[in-house]
Amino acid sequence: MTHDTPLLGCIADDFTGATDLANMLVREGMRTIQTIGIPAAPVRGVDAIVVALKSRTIPADEAVAQSLAALQWLQDQGCRQFFFKYCSTFDSTDAGNIGPVAEALQKALGTDLAIACPAFPENGRTVYRGHLFVHDLLLNESGMQNHPLTHMRDANLVRVLQRQSTGKVGLIGTTDVSRGPIAVRERMAALRKEGVTLAIADAIADKDLYTLGEACAGMPLVTGGSGVALGLPGNFRRAHLLVDEGAAMRAIEGLDSLSPRGAVLAGSASQATQGQVAHWIARHPALRIDPLALARGENLVQRALDFAQAHAGQAVLIYATAALDEVQAVQAQLGVERAGHLVEQALSAIAKGLHRQGVARLVIAGGETSGAVVQALDVRALRIGPQIDPGVPATLAVDADGRPHCALALKSGNFGTVDFFEKALRALGAAH
């Protein structure tokens, strides 16, 4: 059976999370395209569309409005099921945005229950008895309690989501998940009778994600991290709706037409990115962007572009990444919002300048940084290619006519091995 309209419509609350989700869908055989914001034109010839928003840390009412607009557009494309994607560390605040957006999507779709599962075991994120773990540590002991924008000080996701939601939040525990999809559906039916509208779902291994995905067959809305999307393509496959699954992995043909020059831009302050920056600095050219110098009006953008041009024969790293105490000291002087804006603005301008210099293969570290850079480069759509590291695929940005624009690896701050930057440049075909 063939189809021209997409099957799965996804709304992601940041750009790296969107590529993470798209990566999962491609791995499971769905032809997937990621759009940057809501496109002006229809999208055809794919199985899944991931609309990337920059809504994770904006006011909840704005996040709701953007998400509902994305939902309407995806409905207009003919999607049969919808997925709201957020971070595998449940990044949010007590005021939102996960609960408000999920409930608004439920209301728009007329559905009385949706699961909420941020688990991503492959990257060490598991949910057990409603508590989120990062490897062997509870979320609130993992370093996320000190996140500069979305500090997570409670690992009990039922409590966290309840504080954001107007409806009742329940739990689909590991006992039900371990018994398979039928048991999960029975638990959902029981929760509905209790008046539960959002249900945290346990998952400690990939097999649990496949179970949850199968249990959600036919449900209008699924919410979670990218991991739970592993189990959704199988439902369409069983319905004989996935045809040429090999096409999903052929999505970034055309890289050879781009300049081989590459660069890395890092704005994340996460521990993983700090390690990746340190690994790179010991081996390759790098230049740090100091937010305080930006605030003083120093032209660090031009300095970075001159630095890159002086090393035109090799890839460079331009970074604002710093240890947590340094980040907090800068925020104390400049304010959290201004400090972040200065860095994003500078890295975006550097990305545009690098592209003008002929750098066509970029690795970007950090969700907020990635969002700012792709917007600055006027990227409208990404074809999703092979995985580089769990949660991070190689992608090809294309223009409205499908012509290659640049190659990108958009990495969540917490993802990737210590040598990720080098691996990503190789995956994008960059000289370094």
Side-chain angles (χ1 to χ4, degrees):
M1 181 176 180
T2 61
H3 60 90
D4 187 46
T5 56
L7 303 168
L8 183 66
C10 308
I11 303 163
D13 67 359
D14 84 335
F15 290 6
T16 57
T19 55
D20 175 11
L21 170 59
N23 175 58
M24 287 293 190
L25 298 174
V26 169
R27 283 172 54 182
E28 294 299 308
M30 296 190 85
R31 298 169 300 162
T32 305
I33 192 165
Q34 175 183 335
T35 69
I36 307 304
I38 302 170
V43 172
R44 293 289 183 266
V46 296
D47 302 309
I49 305 173
V50 182
V51 176
L53 303 177
K54 202 167 183 286
S55 59
R56 180 169 299 171
T57 57
I58 64 176
D61 58 344
E62 294 179 27
V64 167
Q66 290 184 23
S67 300
L68 289 175
L71 173 65
Q72 182 61 62
W73 183 84
L74 289 167
Q75 288 177 307
D76 292 343
Q77 307 314 299
C79 296
R80 307 182 186 200
Q81 187 176 47
F82 301 91
F83 188 96
F84 169 39
K85 195 275 177 195
Y86 39 80
C87 187
S88 61
T89 47
F90 217 69
D91 295 17
S92 199
T93 67
D94 285 351
N97 292 345
I98 295 172
V101 170
E103 290 189 320
L105 295 174
Q106 281 184 283
K107 183 178 179 181
L109 290 167
T111 182
D112 59 352
L113 179 70
I115 70 164
C117 181
F120 191 175
E122 192 173 5
N123 262 344
R125 280 69 163 156
T126 56
V127 182
Y128 179 69
R129 296 188 181 275
H131 290 70
L132 180 55
F133 288 80
V134 178
H135 297 290
D136 295 327
L137 300 174
L138 285 164
L139 176 68
N140 58 302
E141 299 173 356
S142 67
M144 279 300 296
Q145 71 272 26
N146 298 317
H147 192 285
L149 296 177
T150 53
H151 46 263
M152 300 301 296
R153 293 172 180 157
D154 190 353
N156 185 320
L157 298 189
V158 176
R159 281 197 303 249
V160 172
L161 190 55
Q162 187 63 77
R163 289 194 291 267
Q164 302 174 12
S165 307
T166 59
K168 186 177 180 181
V169 179
L171 174 66
I172 303 171
T174 188
T175 301
D176 291 308
V177 176
S178 67
R179 291 169 51 214
I182 294 175
V184 172
R185 285 192 283 267
E186 289 173 349
R187 176 60 177 161
M188 288 178 181
L191 290 173
R192 284 189 178 93
K193 291 180 180 179
E194 296 172 16
V196 169
T197 56
L198 287 169
I200 297 295
D202 281 357
I204 58 176
D206 281 357
K207 63 180 177 61
D208 299 327
L209 300 175
Y210 286 106
T211 292
L212 291 169
E214 185 173 346
C216 290
M219 293 182 68
L221 178 68
V222 181
T223 89
S226 62
V228 77
L230 280 175
L232 300 180
N235 297 328
F236 299 114
R237 185 174 296 108
R238 283 185 286 274
H240 306 291
L241 292 172
L242 293 184
V243 185
D244 182 10
E245 298 185 30
M249 295 303 289
R250 298 194 296 269
I252 61 169
E253 292 176 351
L255 280 177
D256 291 346
S257 65
L258 300 173
S259 161
R261 284 189 63 188
V264 183
L265 301 178
S268 170
S270 73
Q271 293 177 353
T273 302
Q274 288 182 46
Q276 290 154 358
V277 167
H279 179 86
W280 179 278
I281 290 172
R283 294 162 178 80
H284 310 287
L287 179 72
R288 181 168 183 257
I289 300 297
D290 180 3
L292 295 177
L294 290 171
R296 292 193 297 268
E298 295 184 28
N299 192 351
L300 300 191
V301 171
Q302 189 58 52
R303 188 180 306 173
L305 295 176
D306 291 343
F307 177 79
Q309 194 62 28
H311 296 84
Q314 54 191 315
V316 299
L317 164 67
I318 312 295
Y319 68 102
T321 300
L324 180 62
D325 56 348
E326 296 178 72
V327 173
Q328 290 174 334
V330 169
Q331 290 175 338
Q333 291 190 54
L334 303 179
V336 174
E337 186 174 342
R338 185 179 180 219
H341 178 70
L342 283 169
V343 169
E344 287 183 21
Q345 193 175 44
L347 290 175
S348 297
I350 292 166
K352 289 177 69 175
L354 289 172
H355 196 255
R356 286 193 296 267
Q357 286 183 2
V359 176
R361 302 163 197 255
L362 288 168
V363 179
I364 316 295
E368 296 298 313
T369 304
S370 293
V373 167
V374 297
Q375 288 178 330
L377 293 175
D378 198 28
V379 172
R380 303 299 177 88
L382 295 171
R383 293 179 183 165
I384 308 301
Q387 176 174 286
I388 302 169
D389 263 346
V392 193
T395 77
L396 180 65
V398 294
D399 62 21
D401 296 321
R403 292 187 297 262
H405 177 61
C406 60
L408 297 170
L410 306 176
K411 182 192 85 74
S412 170
N414 293 304
F415 284 6
T417 57
V418 71
D419 61 343
F420 175 82
F421 295 158
E422 294 164 332
K423 287 197 298 186
L425 286 167
R426 287 196 297 271
L428 297 180
H432 71 285

